[in-house]
Amino acid sequence: MRFKLFVVCALACGFMAYVLANENFSTEEDDLDDQIVNSVPVKSGVLSAKPKPDADFVDGLKAKPEPKPTPKPTPKATTSTKPTPTPTSGGQRMIPVVHVTSRGTDDVLTVAGLKPQQTFGALVMPNDYLGELYDVDSSGYNWDPNNNVAPPGYSSTAAGGYTITPARLLELRSTFMYWYFDKDMYGGRGDYQFDIHASMTQLHKNLNFQLPFYGFRFNYTRLSLNGYLEFSDPPEYLTYPLVFPIKDWPTKRDPSFMGIFFSKCRVGRIYPSDIDQRTPGVYFRVERDLMGRTDRFGVEVRERTMWDIRQGVVGADTFVPKHVVIATWKNVSFAGGIDNSLFTTNTFQMVLATDEVYTYIIYNYAVLNWLSHTEAGGDTTQGAGGVPAYVGFNAGNGTQAYEYKPYSQNMVIRDLANRGWANGFPGRHIFRVDEQILIGSCNKDIDAALLPLTFAPESGNMLGGQVVNITGPCFDPNIRVTCHFDTESVLGTYVDTNRVICVQPYLKAEGYIRFQISVGTQRFKWRGKYFVETPAAATEKIFFTTDDVHKKNPNEIRITWNQYNLTSNANANVMISLWGYRETKIEPQLEYIDVIEASYSNSGSYVITPSNYINRNNVNRDMQFGFLQINLTQPDQYSGLSISPVLWSRPIPLAWYMGPQWERQHGKRWPRALCDNWIRADRFLRNFAADLPLCPCTLDQAVLDKGRYRPDRECDKDSNPSCLRHRGAIHCVVSGTPVAQGAEQQCCYDRYGFLMLTYDQMWGSRPRRVHNLGKMPWNEASKVPSLSMWFHDMRPFYSCCFWQEEQAVGCETYRFERRPSQDCVAYQAPGIAGVFGDPHFVTFDGSAYTFNGLGEFVLARSVDESNRFEVQGRFQQLPDNYYGEVKATQLTAMAMRGNTTTTIEVRLRPLHARWRYRLDVLADGRRVYFDRESLKFQHFDGVTVYTPTYLLNQSQVVVQFDAGIGVEVVENEGFMTGRVFLPWKFINKTAGLFGNWSFNKLDDFMLPNGQVAQINTNDLRSIHNNFGIKWMLTDRDVPGVGAALFTREFGRMSSYYANATFQPNYVLDPADFLPGNRSYDVERAEELCGECLQCQYDYAMTLNRDLAHFTKNYYDTIVNMQSENSRPVVSCGVLQTPRFGRKLSFDFMPGAKVSFECNEGFILVGDQRRECLASGLWNVPEYGYTECLREVYYTRRVAFIAIGIIFLVICPLMLCIVCGVYRYRQKQLKEDPHWQMPVLPRSRASSARNLRTLNYDDDSDTDASTLKKSRSYDKVYRTNEPLPGKPQIDFPAKKWDLDENDEDVTSSEGSQNRTSSKLARDISYINPNVTHVTGEKPKQAGRRSLRSASGTDLDQHQHAGDGSPVDHEDDDFDEADVHQGTIHPAGYHQPLSPEEADQLHRQQYSPTFSGLDSRTSGASSINYTPAAASQNRFGGVPVLPSNSQYYNRPPSGVPVATATPLRTAPTPLTQDSGLPSPPLATSPTPSVQKSTEV
């Protein structure tokens, strides 16, 4: 037993001796370190520690490092706190003499007095010797960057700490290697990892922060002696050359690692003559929370790392490291070597810096003397030959890998120490590794037809001015570099060997374009993809604090910008200029307009005063919209380059600048003139509205139509609810892709979710002639992205509506004619199908079934060759649960393609790679990301891909094809669902696992050959074997099925995922397939899922509560969506708003009641309220269509309507009467040829008409016009009614004094009753003589005033020869009056006796009186005055004319020659009661008066 213990102790001692020998501890080295490295300043030239005799010191001599191009950092300028070393008596510091040879050879830095000898693996230091008496603080610590003693091990965040100076930062950055220490001030081993050696090659390290790497995120690492940091276990054995990722994962482990020199190593040895006597081995140091640290070492680590990365990697301009990890492999040799192979060593260092979002790695290769170890085929003495070390990165878990070509596993790997040129150092290489591997250093040893180009930023505004930093080939200042952006080429500006800058030109394109460079006479072989942002959707870099820029005449416009987007120099000056756009010819015109501010401090804000430009007179004043531009005035003073970044604003209207010029040109109403000009021009263009899809009726329908509509950036309920040009709207959608002619539909919805129409208000939905994405070719007018849309659609909105009233003619023309909203009367909701869970399917027709296929399958495809599309899904097996393997699958990827569109693939990321992005999106095999606002909506050939604006993790992706097809992919907690949206043109044209969309569930299970399988949805085995497996995809094209569209990486073909023999669980009910001892799981499934069988199945299979929850959620969602879209869409359509009025509601769905109101000063005509009926029609208006009329127009309309009614009623009635009389007369004449119409009572009108037809003699001087009676309706009429306060006067009746022989000329038949007499009832006979005596003015008594042939008024009474006055009669006569005779005792007329009638017949009859007047006049008494004096015109109205024609003309039948006067003219008859005389001043003269005032 003792012997055994002795043997064990001996072996242990031998092992310890071996370890100590390998560690190469030496007392001489320790003494040398103590004397040189830890030397401190002394006073008066006396050293506190005496050096060895063989170390010579010389005053004033300092070794000079090899000059290297180093960039000039620009840190914060602060005051230095570095103490100054105490000088010697000669004023110089005492330093060791160092002999420096050129870097890059294997020569060794030696101290004077030591014998030089050939060594291997010695570290070549680029700067002074470690023992320089450099910078010592009050604690005695030497802050030399090459000191091997660690600084005090405390960190501080107190205010007022250390501040680094530019000089100190420059000194730190001029050192090639970062810090690594093998000692500390407390006697420890510093950063040296003595636990790592040949028997234990790796060590676990907790980081205590999140380190993003290649899509994953880790809070730990494993430091390996074999030249890498790993995050998972490597495979048990390796096969050379190494290939990552491991294809056999998960059966074989696939490690995640960062490999700086992945090869089997062991700790080497150093020579006593080596300058750097730090212990060979592995060093590891972590510096955390650097952002807030104020201690000296923390500040220096942060600033050095930050500026090395910012100036070494493009796109890292704002990076600030939060945590830094420094891992160093010093003097490591290859495994398997013999003899002196331990002295053949390599030294390299890895520096990781992260802010927990971005991660950068610096590889520093100091010395590389061997390439491979013996297991990889290298020799045992020099490590040459075989397969060299692997350099690169592997994400692990079978995902992705990056190998640094051409160096990795290639003989040129030794060139790593002389290539890279990051920060100007040969041997330094920088990478960005958080999501993708982006190289930040040049590569001159690779050549191929297509080489990857690294550049940043990866996108820019279409207007140009974006500074693009480019890394790829190694550049030479004497060799020209040309950058090619799509079709435009520009020359590059040399920065250093590792970087060239190109300024993006003005591009008429959008989306991803080709970006490539050529160096010298080489062809364009370095290539990449550059994303062009449209001006309306580009990253906003100039901000307007208010909406004043959109107004017609603002007082001021305030703008702001981030000054660091131009330069970090606060003293820089910028220029602000104005640019405009127009399309007056085929080529688009983006032109400079004016300088807003020639030189202004880069303060980040400015106030524009429009009144300063009121007197401008620009030639291009017809530009109505444009942009603000900001750039540096003298960029070479700040960056050393003659180029400047350019900041552009979003498109803005230019009324604030051009308004005064437009007013001088068009007058005060210049908006109307601009609008009219646009309307005239737009009417010449084709009508595009018919090409657009119809708007959904409600917001819910619009959100569900994923195939045709996407959110509008200008009015998005999630990201931009301001809706400047659509006030009152909460959300707008636009067509995802342009239609065939390039137009775009827009649909806006109010707070109630109803479609807003321009017929109702100016803020309604407006279709656009040009889509924001433009139309190929983009270099022609009306096809330029954003600019053409603003020119044709946004510009007229301002001039026609925004700067005018809503009821202006131009605005109404714009709203109703040129850009009217399309209603949703004929809108058709899309068909929806989906897959979710493990997995469950719901077809377009609503059939639900479960199919657990393993592999890639066809979800939906078109059988119509004219409208082709394919949607495919990849299903992989679910992970094991507590009880073992899960016989079920889940959806992990979807691939889709239209007719000739770009192929889009959406993948579920691995579990630990979802910390930042949940889904990967690939466009034609290239990954694209949506983490910036300008990249939220990306357009490819025939397809648009976007993520919701409120999501940053890519957990929801929507793909829209130009045919109206939409695919939505959603991820939650690692479980994915896919939905497909199809328009109605694909009815009966689909096949696949989503079935045939025919509104008939019986044909859902259609096979690739066109036959329909008879399937029971509850029989999972039958579904699997007879239907689902038939749609499995392969890499070759199968008739009826097609070929797989998925991107193949790392040699994984469709067969890698497919397994046609996989047998899943075919039992649907958990109670039937779970064993009896798992009744709790059955109860738990019912508790979680209720009656949802899909949810119960998923929980019972996986015991995953999240999967069950989302399965139920996805199933309910798709069922609700199908239910919503299956309901018939009933809409009453547009109900036009009356002009000069408004609607109190804009609803147009069944049951809606819309009321109208008119503006002030207008009258509503028609129905005041309309109702939308269930039939989809507005109710028929009861009182006519609603209008708002001005009051004067309303009155005029009423008058015209009245006249029209009269005309339409009276005229047909009169025509009917005439026709009836005519027919009656014809009938009577046919029966009796001598029949005559019966005599009707004569009226005044008929008497006048008969008088006009009298056959007078040729010498007659009668004026027929005197017989025309007219009434004056604006006069005061007198009646014979008794007046108040006046006595009642009875007028006695008077018999007419007419000749018996007079003929009744008023009757068409003549006077038949010649013996009748006539009495005047309404005429008083007043004696004129009495008038003269009493002084009373005679009163008007008659109804007509006649004139004599001479033109004098017959009111001037004429007397007969005997002096008797001439009697006057009224002009109306009725035959009934002939039978009236004596006066009744009451004063009424009595019938005449035969004698009196005969005597009256023989008298001359006056045709101015008829019985009608007597019947209608008042029954007042009549006074007769036998004689009357002459009266003036207004004293009385003569009844009978004093024309001799009536008193001297013989009766009918008597010859004229023998005619004698029959009687003298009667005395005038006047009425003295009732009618007062009209005023003389307002009465017509007697000479022109032709009628009696009545």
Side-chain angles (χ1 to χ4, degrees):
M1 184 65 182
R2 294 178 180 177
F3 177 76
K4 292 182 179 179
L5 292 175
F6 175 79
V7 171
V8 171
C9 291
L11 292 176
C13 293
F15 178 77
M16 293 178 62
Y18 175 80
V19 171
L20 291 175
N22 285 337
E23 295 290 347
N24 196 22
F25 291 118
S26 174
T27 58
E28 295 181 357
E29 295 169 5
D30 294 339
D31 294 338
L32 181 65
D33 291 341
D34 294 337
Q35 296 166 7
I36 297 178
V37 177
N38 294 325
S39 59
V40 295
V42 296
K43 298 180 181 180
S44 302
V46 179
L47 298 177
S48 60
K50 183 177 180 180
K52 287 195 174 288
D54 47 59
D56 298 336
F57 288 84
V58 181
D59 293 344
L61 179 65
K62 182 177 181 180
K64 298 181 180 179
E66 180 186 4
K68 299 178 184 296
T70 56
K72 298 179 180 180
T74 58
K76 296 179 291 185
T78 56
T79 303
S80 175
T81 60
K82 181 178 70 174
T84 303
T86 305
T88 62
S89 59
Q92 302 288 341
R93 291 189 303 166
M94 299 295 294
I95 62 174
V97 178
V98 180
H99 302 282
V100 181
T101 59
S102 62
R103 196 179 159 337
T105 67
D106 289 338
D107 296 341
V108 182
L109 300 175
T110 62
V111 179
L114 294 180
K115 181 179 179 181
Q117 55 183 329
Q118 184 70 22
T119 61
F120 299 91
L123 174 62
V124 181
M125 301 303 300
N127 292 297
D128 299 343
Y129 178 60
L130 291 174
E132 178 190 356
L133 306 179
Y134 185 67
D135 185 4
V136 180
D137 61 9
S138 58
S139 64
Y141 180 75
N142 185 0
W143 287 97
D144 183 355
N146 293 312
N147 193 353
N148 68 326
V149 178
Y154 64 91
S155 61
S156 173
T157 59
Y162 173 78
T163 303
I164 193 170
T165 64
R168 172 62 175 171
L169 179 61
L170 185 59
E171 289 176 323
L172 291 175
R173 295 191 59 203
S174 63
T175 304
F176 179 69
M177 298 288 284
Y178 275 63
W179 302 272
Y180 62 100
F181 311 101
D182 62 349
K183 295 181 181 181
D184 57 31
M185 298 182 65
Y186 312 103
R189 305 298 298 270
D191 302 334
Y192 185 77
Q193 305 298 310
F194 54 87
D195 291 330
I196 296 180
H197 42 74
S199 59
M200 187 171 67
T201 58
Q202 69 178 17
L203 192 64
H204 183 90
K205 295 290 183 179
N206 289 319
L207 299 177
N208 294 327
F209 59 83
Q210 296 292 340
L211 176 67
F213 169 63
Y214 223 159
F216 294 89
R217 191 165 57 172
F218 305 95
N219 60 1
Y220 69 93
T221 187
R222 294 172 185 171
L223 177 64
S224 174
L225 174 63
N226 296 328
Y228 60 86
L229 294 181
E230 69 175 5
F231 305 95
S232 59
D233 294 331
E236 296 179 358
Y237 59 90
L238 298 173
T239 303
Y240 299 94
L242 300 177
V243 178
F244 296 101
I246 302 297
K247 296 181 181 180
D248 296 333
W249 182 87
T251 58
K252 188 177 181 181
R253 291 178 297 195
D254 182 31
S256 175
F257 67 87
M258 305 172 182
I260 184 173
F261 200 85
F262 194 137
S263 183
K264 287 189 176 182
C265 305
R266 63 175 180 168
V267 178
R269 295 182 181 180
I270 61 175
Y271 289 98
S273 59
D274 291 346
I275 299 300
D276 188 357
Q277 291 293 313
R278 279 176 284 196
T279 307
V282 182
Y283 294 75
F284 185 83
R285 186 174 190 87
V286 179
E287 295 294 333
R288 302 181 181 89
D289 303 319
L290 294 174
M291 287 186 175
R293 286 176 59 174
T294 58
D295 60 282
R296 177 167 182 173
F297 189 71
V299 171
E300 289 185 349
V301 171
R302 182 186 69 230
E303 295 299 315
R304 177 182 180 178
T305 308
M306 179 180 71
W307 287 107
D308 281 348
I309 291 175
R310 285 189 178 185
Q311 296 184 353
V313 184
V314 295
D317 299 333
T318 60
F319 176 75
V320 178
K322 187 176 180 181
H323 313 285
V324 172
V325 177
I326 304 173
T328 306
W329 289 260
K330 181 183 182 298
N331 296 110
V332 292
S333 181
F334 58 94
I338 60 176
D339 297 336
N340 292 329
S341 61
L342 289 178
F343 291 94
T344 304
T345 61
N346 295 343
T347 298
F348 43 86
Q349 184 182 66
M350 177 192 300
V351 180
L352 281 79
T354 182
D355 60 358
E356 299 189 277
V357 176
Y358 301 100
T359 302
Y360 295 90
I361 293 184
I362 300 176
Y363 283 174
N364 292 324
Y365 293 95
V367 176
L368 296 178
N369 287 322
W370 62 270
L371 305 182
S372 61
H373 57 93
T374 56
E375 289 185 13
D379 60 41
T380 58
T381 57
Q382 299 295 327
V387 179
Y390 181 95
V391 180
F393 309 90
N394 185 38
N397 294 340
T399 53
Q400 51 189 337
Y402 176 87
E403 187 173 6
Y404 191 22
K405 294 292 186 178
Y407 309 108
S408 175
Q409 302 189 100
N410 197 310
M411 289 302 174
V412 297
I413 192 173
R414 66 176 65 251
D415 292 335
L416 286 172
N418 301 309
R419 296 290 189 266
W421 293 100
N423 305 127
F425 288 110
R428 176 170 290 183
H429 307 256
I430 303 182
F431 305 86
R432 176 183 165 186
V433 298
D434 50 270
E435 178 60 32
Q436 291 186 2
I437 307 301
L438 300 177
I439 185 172
S441 53
C442 68
N443 192 334
K444 64 178 297 183
D445 300 306
I446 189 170
D447 191 12
L450 177 59
L451 298 175
L453 191 65
T454 302
F455 55 91
E458 297 180 344
S459 62
N461 195 318
M462 187 187 77
L463 301 178
Q466 179 66 59
V467 175
V468 182
N469 295 272
I470 304 165
T471 296
C474 295
F475 302 105
D476 190 310
N478 299 319
I479 299 178
R480 184 185 66 178
V481 178
T482 303
C483 298
H484 195 69
F485 293 85
D486 196 33
T487 59
E488 305 290 336
S489 296
V490 295
L491 292 179
T493 301
Y494 175 85
V495 178
D496 54 38
T497 305
N498 206 37
R499 182 183 301 196
V500 161
I501 289 178
C502 287
V503 180
Q504 175 211 321
Y506 168 42
L507 301 172
K508 293 179 277 291
E510 61 85 21
Y512 286 97
I513 63 171
R514 296 173 300 170
F515 178 55
Q516 46 198 351
I517 66 171
S518 68
V519 180
T521 58
Q522 295 179 354
R523 55 188 174 82
F524 293 91
K525 61 181 181 180
W526 294 87
R527 302 179 184 179
K529 289 287 188 179
Y530 185 80
F531 187 81
V532 180
E533 306 167 356
T534 61
T539 302
E540 193 171 6
K541 295 185 177 181
I542 300 179
F543 306 92
F544 297 92
T545 56
T546 63
D547 296 334
D548 291 339
V549 70
H550 300 274
K551 295 181 180 179
K552 181 178 178 181
N553 186 22
N555 294 326
E556 65 179 20
I557 300 172
R558 295 182 176 270
I559 62 173
T560 59
W561 67 92
N562 185 355
Q563 61 267 36
Y564 296 105
N565 285 335
L566 295 171
T567 179
S568 58
N569 194 323
N571 299 322
N573 289 333
V574 299
M575 181 178 70
I576 305 175
S577 57
L578 182 65
W579 292 67
Y581 179 83
R582 61 183 173 184
E583 293 180 355
T584 58
K585 49 186 179 181
I586 296 298
E587 183 179 0
Q589 298 167 273
L590 179 65
E591 298 180 1
Y592 164 81
I593 295 178
D594 196 0
V595 173
I596 302 300
E597 184 64 53
S599 181
Y600 185 76
S601 176
N602 185 26
S603 61
S605 63
Y606 182 76
V607 178
I608 301 176
T609 305
S611 58
N612 295 338
Y613 317 101
I614 193 172
N615 295 323
R616 293 290 199 274
N617 190 19
N618 300 92
V619 177
N620 46 10
R621 69 175 64 93
D622 58 335
M623 292 184 173
Q624 299 181 29
F625 79 96
F627 308 86
L628 288 177
Q629 181 195 81
I630 302 178
N631 61 281
L632 295 174
T633 55
Q634 296 177 333
D636 52 342
Q637 296 181 3
Y638 316 114
S639 62
L641 303 174
S642 59
I643 58 177
S644 168
V646 176
L647 307 182
W648 291 94
S649 71
R650 295 279 179 86
I652 57 173
L654 299 182
W656 60 270
Y657 179 87
M658 295 288 188
Q661 302 182 46
W662 293 336
E663 183 175 348
R664 290 192 294 269
Q665 181 180 2
H666 301 291
K668 291 288 187 181
R669 296 186 177 182
W670 56 263
R672 179 176 179 179
L674 297 180
C675 179
D676 293 343
N677 293 337
W678 173 82
I679 290 174
R680 283 191 295 269
D682 195 68
R683 283 173 175 166
F684 284 102
L685 304 179
R686 66 179 296 274
N687 186 6
F688 64 91
D691 301 334
L692 297 174
L694 295 179
C695 284
C697 294
T698 63
L699 178 59
D700 294 337
Q701 293 175 337
V703 172
L704 292 180
D705 199 338
K706 304 288 187 180
R708 288 174 285 193
Y709 296 101
R710 63 168 179 82
D712 188 356
R713 296 173 183 265
E714 297 181 355
C715 184
D716 184 7
K717 59 184 176 66
D718 298 318
S719 63
N720 183 20
S722 60
C723 303
L724 174 64
R725 286 176 282 270
H726 300 280
R727 295 177 184 172
I730 62 170
H731 189 67
C732 293
V733 295
V734 294
S735 49
T737 57
V739 298
Q741 300 299 327
E744 179 183 36
Q745 180 65 281
Q746 184 194 46
C747 312
C748 295
Y749 300 87
D750 59 18
R751 67 188 61 185
Y752 302 106
F754 295 116
L755 181 65
M756 298 173 61
L757 306 174
T758 55
Y759 294 99
D760 299 331
Q761 53 185 323
M762 61 182 283
W763 312 108
S765 312
R766 296 187 297 270
R768 298 167 181 170
R769 181 177 295 279
V770 183
H771 199 284
N772 181 63
L773 299 175
K775 180 69 177 176
M776 287 286 289
W778 292 305
N779 58 351
E780 294 182 3
S782 300
K783 298 180 180 180
V784 184
S786 282
L787 302 184
S788 294
M789 185 264 288
W790 261 81
F791 183 80
H792 287 281
D793 300 293
M794 294 298 182
R795 173 179 64 101
F797 170 75
Y798 284 95
S799 59
C800 293
C801 292
F802 200 84
W803 296 332
Q804 296 193 63
E805 295 180 356
E806 187 170 358
Q807 281 86 15
V809 176
C811 185
E812 293 191 344
T813 305
Y814 175 84
R815 293 163 50 200
F816 301 153
E817 176 188 343
R818 305 317 305 162
R819 297 295 183 269
S821 302
Q822 292 181 321
D823 58 27
C824 58
V825 172
Y827 171 74
Q828 297 171 335
I832 304 177
V835 56
F836 53 91
D838 67 347
H840 309 282
F841 296 82
V842 177
T843 66
F844 290 106
D845 293 332
S847 298
Y849 67 94
T850 299
F851 166 64
N852 280 284
L854 183 61
E856 297 170 349
F857 295 86
V858 175
L859 298 180
R861 73 190 309 263
S862 173
V863 297
D864 184 8
E865 295 297 328
S866 60
N867 290 306
R868 295 176 54 195
F869 79 92
E870 294 179 89
V871 180
Q872 302 174 359
R874 176 185 294 163
F875 301 92
Q876 295 178 269
Q877 190 170 359
L878 284 163
D880 296 346
N881 63 12
Y882 176 78
Y883 296 98
E885 183 183 11
V886 175
K887 292 290 187 178
T889 61
Q890 67 168 338
L891 179 68
T892 59
M894 293 182 69
M896 58 219 72
R897 182 179 63 185
N899 214 0
T900 57
T901 68
T902 300
T903 300
I904 304 297
E905 181 179 350
V906 183
R907 297 178 181 173
L908 181 67
R909 291 171 67 96
L911 175 62
H912 299 290
R914 300 175 194 142
W915 65 272
R916 184 173 181 184
Y917 304 115
R918 299 300 185 94
L919 299 172
D920 278 330
V921 181
L922 291 85
D924 279 342
R926 179 179 176 274
R927 280 179 172 82
V928 293
Y929 298 91
F930 304 84
D931 52 354
R932 297 203 305 270
E933 180 184 358
S934 59
L935 300 179
K936 284 294 184 181
F937 301 88
Q938 300 184 23
H939 182 242
F940 306 90
D941 291 338
V943 60
T944 297
V945 185
Y946 74 91
T947 61
T949 53
Y950 58 89
L951 292 179
L952 300 176
N953 59 1
Q954 292 183 192
S955 61
Q956 181 178 358
V957 178
V958 180
V959 183
Q960 295 180 328
F961 295 92
D962 52 7
I965 305 166
V967 179
E968 181 185 27
V969 182
V970 181
E971 183 274 344
N972 274 300
E973 297 297 331
F975 303 107
M976 182 174 166
T977 181
R979 307 184 187 109
V980 179
F981 303 79
L982 295 182
W984 280 35
K985 63 182 178 181
F986 289 99
I987 294 178
N988 281 322
K989 297 180 181 179
T990 62
L993 296 180
F994 287 160
N996 178 33
W997 184 23
S998 62
F999 300 101
N1000 183 6
K1001 295 183 179 181
L1002 298 179
D1003 61 355
D1004 279 349
F1005 300 98
M1006 181 180 293
L1007 302 177
N1009 58 9
Q1011 298 180 355
V1012 178
Q1014 302 299 323
I1015 300 295
N1016 180 5
T1017 56
N1018 294 323
D1019 187 354
L1020 303 188
R1021 185 183 299 274
S1022 175
I1023 293 175
H1024 186 277
N1025 297 329
N1026 300 329
F1027 172 68
I1029 205 68
K1030 306 293 184 182
W1031 290 103
M1032 178 177 285
L1033 288 161
T1034 61
D1035 290 319
R1036 60 183 179 86
D1037 194 350
V1038 177
V1041 178
L1045 302 176
F1046 295 93
T1047 301
R1048 302 305 179 191
E1049 293 179 329
F1050 315 115
R1052 295 177 179 175
M1053 309 303 289
S1054 61
S1055 58
Y1056 175 84
Y1057 303 98
N1059 185 2
T1061 62
F1062 176 72
Q1063 295 296 320
N1065 173 39
Y1066 294 126
V1067 181
L1068 187 60
D1069 191 351
D1072 296 335
F1073 65 80
L1074 290 180
N1077 59 352
R1078 293 180 58 186
S1079 59
Y1080 172 78
D1081 294 334
V1082 177
E1083 297 175 358
R1084 183 63 172 163
E1086 294 177 352
E1087 178 184 352
L1088 292 174
C1089 304
E1091 298 179 356
C1092 181
L1093 296 180
Q1094 292 87 348
C1095 174
Q1096 295 180 13
Y1097 179 87
D1098 290 357
Y1099 179 78
M1101 291 293 297
T1102 64
L1103 300 181
N1104 191 312
R1105 181 173 179 174
D1106 290 335
L1107 175 60
H1109 170 75
F1110 288 113
T1111 295
K1112 185 177 187 302
N1113 178 269
Y1114 291 150
Y1115 177 73
D1116 293 341
T1117 300
I1118 194 170
V1119 169
N1120 293 337
M1121 293 169 69
Q1122 287 188 339
S1123 176
E1124 177 72 20
N1125 288 352
S1126 63
R1127 288 199 298 265
V1129 179
V1130 180
S1131 169
C1132 291
V1134 175
L1135 180 61
Q1136 188 167 348
T1137 302
R1139 189 180 180 186
F1140 307 116
R1142 57 189 175 275
K1143 295 195 304 187
L1144 301 184
S1145 173
F1146 300 138
D1147 190 5
F1148 46 81
M1149 305 301 288
K1153 297 180 181 180
V1154 180
S1155 300
F1156 302 93
E1157 286 184 355
C1158 291
N1159 299 342
E1160 186 177 356
F1162 293 84
I1163 299 177
L1164 190 143
V1165 178
D1167 283 13
Q1168 295 186 359
R1169 189 176 71 173
R1170 300 285 298 278
E1171 182 178 357
C1172 180
L1173 304 179
S1175 61
L1177 299 175
W1178 293 102
N1179 66 319
V1180 178
E1182 300 179 4
Y1183 304 103
Y1185 291 99
T1186 307
E1187 293 180 280
C1188 291
L1189 299 178
R1190 297 183 187 273
E1191 294 181 357
V1192 59
Y1193 295 149
Y1194 175 76
T1195 305
R1196 186 180 302 173
R1197 169 178 286 196
V1198 171
F1200 287 158
I1201 292 176
I1203 294 174
I1205 292 176
I1206 293 174
F1207 180 80
L1208 294 177
V1209 174
I1210 300 302
C1211 290
L1213 182 60
M1214 294 294 296
L1215 184 61
C1216 292
I1217 293 175
V1218 171
C1219 292
V1221 171
Y1222 177 78
R1223 295 288 298 174
Y1224 177 75
R1225 184 173 181 275
Q1226 292 295 327
K1227 179 179 179 181
Q1228 294 299 328
L1229 289 176
K1230 186 176 181 180
E1231 296 177 356
D1232 183 7
H1234 302 287
W1235 180 85
Q1236 294 182 353
M1237 291 290 293
V1239 180
L1240 299 175
R1242 291 187 298 277
S1243 63
R1244 181 182 305 159
S1246 61
S1247 300
R1249 184 169 58 252
N1250 292 337
L1251 287 175
R1252 294 189 186 97
T1253 58
L1254 290 177
N1255 186 15
Y1256 298 116
D1257 296 334
D1258 294 339
D1259 58 351
S1260 173
D1261 57 355
T1262 303
D1263 188 357
S1265 63
T1266 61
L1267 300 178
K1268 181 179 179 181
K1269 181 178 179 181
S1270 65
R1271 298 179 181 268
S1272 298
Y1273 294 97
D1274 57 349
K1275 300 262 193 299
V1276 178
Y1277 295 95
R1278 300 168 183 256
T1279 64
N1280 58 1
E1281 297 178 0
L1283 299 176
K1286 299 294 182 178
Q1288 180 76 23
I1289 302 177
D1290 293 334
F1291 297 93
K1294 177 183 179 299
K1295 186 179 74 172
W1296 286 99
D1297 187 11
L1298 300 176
D1299 295 337
E1300 295 180 359
N1301 297 328
D1302 284 348
E1303 186 177 355
D1304 184 7
V1305 298
T1306 64
S1307 175
S1308 60
E1309 304 297 331
S1311 178
Q1312 302 297 331
N1313 301 318
R1314 299 183 181 271
T1315 60
S1316 63
S1317 62
K1318 182 179 176 72
L1319 296 179
R1321 295 184 177 181
D1322 58 348
I1323 299 177
S1324 64
Y1325 299 89
I1326 302 175
N1327 190 346
N1329 297 329
V1330 178
T1331 303
H1332 293 296
V1333 175
T1334 62
E1336 295 180 357
K1337 188 174 181 179
K1339 295 182 169 50
Q1340 177 176 326
R1343 294 179 180 267
R1344 183 171 298 238
S1345 176
L1346 302 178
R1347 293 187 301 173
S1348 63
S1350 62
T1352 61
D1353 286 345
L1354 295 183
D1355 293 342
Q1356 305 296 332
H1357 302 284
Q1358 300 178 6
H1359 296 79
D1362 55 359
S1364 61
V1366 180
D1367 293 336
H1368 289 223
E1369 291 184 318
D1370 199 306
D1371 56 350
D1372 288 328
F1373 176 77
D1374 195 297
E1375 292 186 24
D1377 295 339
V1378 178
H1379 301 285
Q1380 295 177 0
T1382 61
I1383 300 175
H1384 190 273
Y1388 293 97
H1389 292 270
Q1390 297 295 327
L1392 299 176
S1393 61
E1395 293 79 11
E1396 293 175 340
D1398 181 67
Q1399 181 182 0
L1400 181 61
H1401 175 72
R1402 290 193 298 269
Q1403 294 178 352
Q1404 177 69 34
Y1405 172 71
S1406 174
T1408 61
F1409 183 83
S1410 66
L1412 181 61
D1413 289 333
S1414 65
R1415 289 194 302 271
T1416 58
S1417 62
S1420 61
S1421 301
I1422 301 298
N1423 284 334
Y1424 171 71
T1425 304
S1430 297
Q1431 301 180 13
N1432 57 26
R1433 169 71 179 88
F1434 305 104
V1437 180
V1439 178
L1440 293 177
S1442 59
N1443 196 328
S1444 59
Q1445 175 181 353
Y1446 294 99
Y1447 303 103
N1448 300 329
R1449 179 177 177 226
S1452 177
V1454 179
V1456 177
T1458 61
T1460 59
L1462 299 179
R1463 66 182 179 90
T1464 60
T1467 303
L1469 303 179
T1470 62
Q1471 178 179 348
D1472 60 354
S1473 67
L1475 297 177
S1477 300
L1480 297 176
T1482 60
S1483 301
T1485 59
S1487 61
V1488 298
Q1489 184 69 21
K1490 295 184 178 181
S1491 62
T1492 302
E1493 296 179 354
V1494 178

